[in-house]
Amino acid sequence: MAGRETIRYPRAMTAWLKSLSTRPVTVALLIGLAAELLFAVRIGWPTHLFFDEVHYVPAAQNLLDLSEPRNIEHPLLGKELIALGMAIFGDDPYGWRLVPSLFGSATVVAGFAFVWLLTRRMRPAVIAALLLVLNQLLFIQARIAMLDVFLVAFLCWAMVLLLRAMHGPAKQVLWRWIAGSALLGLAVAVKWAAVPYVAFAGMAFIVLRIGEHWEVSPRGFGDSFAKALGAALAAKDHRRWPGLPTIRALLIMAAVSIPLYFLTFLPAFFYERDPMTLARLIPFQGEMYALQTQVLAHHTYQSDWWSWPLMIRPIWYFYELDDGAQRGVLLIGNPAIMWGGLVAVLACFWAGLRDGAAKPLAMALLWTASVAIFIVIPKSLGFYYYYYPSAIFLCFALALAFDHYEAGHRRYWAEWFLAVSFLLFLYFYPILSSMPLSDTMAFEKWTWFNSWR
């Protein structure tokens, strides 16, 4: 009997694994659960506020107390979510960081869903999700009470819902579009850095509608852009987002996202000191803009946008004695993913230009636009953590590049790349997770270049 049980177990396991290949929701949830377990382990270290937590956790505490405004240069939603964690789990490292970790895991699941919707294949979706887990920036941002993890989670899920709406069915298109628009509004309610992505969503929608006209027009690309744009705006029957006229869709996006953004300011109306008023709500946006664009003094870890893809100046979020040991947290990307991802972006551009592969091209353009934002944003200082959304999009570009160039072949490049990424993640793990280090000079093991110190 025992022998038969031993023989049957692998068969049952094999059958279960095969069944997962047709169950993307189950696979996505399993990867998300594994990611949350990874993010939550050792989340209580450092045992006190570190890096920008010193701004956002006190602001969240003020929201809980409804005492007075704090950290007013950013909207409220991210700090409200930190406050929610503190209300549920307590005013301690776990209360500060567990909700961000959940949003980090949600980003992993959204990455799986987004790539699966693009390709309708399990392998690239799993590769994208695993790369997200291993890219290191997500790991760190999911374990600190900052705003960026909320911003990116809302953006990624907005992308999922808007993409899900693209192909219907017609009865569900409107509600998926509304939900995606709401998530875009929530992303802006975390940080204004999401505003360009709302514009990107609208522009991508219009470009696809123009492409539809060129696809069905007898003259094809012979029609001028102006004529194609007019037709896209006027047409009522569409192959993508069926039953949703272009102008109506854009108006819905604005009508949903803008009021929802302002609704997140509701707690500010109940502050004991200096409460918000309806008369001040709109002018207050100008005050926020002035604070965000003010000229700031030189900072040790400041860096320029062009240096972020090259990972020239990562940031030591923390490096000091804590709980009886030397510990550190270095915001640094996984070198394989950060640098290999740049090759993937070029490969995606080449796939689009040479092979007419629209999806890899779209990922390359999304990454490029996410970096180019910082050429025009009026910020006096830049920091490597601004690259966090772009690092997420690099994982999508890698997954689509592997999917495109490995099509029809059993080369297993992606699996080898994941193995290298995993080994590098293990190598950097002690200074990603605030593990005890040997001494105060232990950082030298991981600082390959002087600019990493």
Side-chain angles (χ1 to χ4, degrees), residues 318-352:
F318 181 81
Y319 196 80
E320 60 185 79
L321 287 172
D322 179 52
D323 197 24
Q326 181 71 40
R327 303 174 190 273
V329 176
L330 178 63
L331 181 76
I332 187 168
N334 187 307
I337 296 172
M338 296 301 113
W339 295 333
L342 301 181
V343 177
V345 169
L346 294 176
C348 286
F349 271 121
W350 184 244

Side-chain angles (χ1 to χ4, degrees), residues 76-313:
L76 290 183
L77 181 57
K79 290 162 285 189
E80 290 167 351
L81 291 168
I82 295 170
L84 176 64
M86 294 166 66
I88 296 172
F89 303 110
D91 187 1
D92 57 32
Y94 296 95
W96 308 333
R97 300 168 191 156
L98 278 173
V99 169
S101 76
L102 292 171
F103 274 76
S105 303
T107 302
V108 173
V109 177
F112 176 98
F114 182 68
V115 174
W116 189 85
L117 287 170
L118 278 177
T119 63
R120 297 290 174 171
R121 286 190 292 280
M122 183 68 73
R123 182 172 177 264
V126 170
I127 289 167
L130 294 179
L131 289 172
L132 287 172
V133 173
L134 298 174
N135 86 356
Q136 298 183 185
L137 295 191
L138 173 57
F139 176 85
I140 292 173
Q141 293 303 130
R143 293 162 49 86
I144 186 171
M146 290 174 60
L147 307 182
D148 305 78
V149 72
F150 305 125
L151 164 74
V152 171
F154 285 129
L155 284 178
C156 287
W157 275 107
M159 291 163 56
V160 169
L161 286 168
L162 295 176
L163 184 61
R164 186 85 171 96
M166 182 187 292
H167 300 296
K171 291 182 179 180
Q172 298 181 26
V173 168
L174 176 60
W175 294 110
R176 291 171 181 170
W177 183 265
I178 289 172
S181 300
L183 289 170
L184 289 175
L186 294 177
V188 177
V190 173
K191 287 182 83 170
W192 281 4
V195 171
Y197 294 97
V198 181
F200 294 160
M203 288 188 292
F205 178 67
I206 292 172
V207 166
L208 287 170
R209 283 285 164 91
I210 290 172
E212 277 191 32
H213 171 77
W214 278 328
E215 289 169 7
V216 301
S217 173
R219 297 185 61 194
F221 287 98
D223 283 345
S224 68
F225 177 83
K227 182 176 180 180
L229 175 60
L233 295 176
K236 295 183 179 180
D237 186 23
H238 299 278
R239 181 164 57 87
R240 302 183 183 96
W241 296 284
L244 189 62
T246 304
I247 294 177
R248 182 186 176 199
L250 296 175
L251 290 174
I252 289 173
M253 182 176 286
V256 171
S257 60
I258 295 174
L260 189 56
Y261 165 81
F262 283 109
L263 187 62
T264 62
F265 284 86
L266 183 62
F269 285 78
F270 299 96
Y271 282 132
E272 182 180 345
R273 292 181 292 277
D274 194 20
M276 182 63 65
T277 65
L278 286 175
R280 188 186 169 202
L281 184 57
I282 300 300
F284 182 72
Q285 309 305 308
E287 296 177 35
M288 292 170 59
Y289 180 82
L291 288 169
Q292 292 192 35
T293 56
Q294 65 183 310
V295 177
L296 300 173
H298 175 85
H299 193 284
T300 302
Y301 286 113
Q302 72 181 65
S303 55
D304 295 318
W305 65 269
W306 57 264
S307 71
W308 303 335
L310 303 176
M311 206 161 63
I312 292 174
R313 188 59 170 150

Side-chain angles (χ1 to χ4, degrees), residues 424-446:
L424 284 167
F425 178 84
L426 290 180
Y427 167 77
F428 282 102
Y429 184 77
I431 54 156
L432 304 176
S433 62
S434 193
M435 286 183 65
L437 304 177
S438 59
D439 55 59
T440 58
M441 299 303 292
F443 67 88
E444 293 181 339
K445 176 180 178 180
W446 296 279

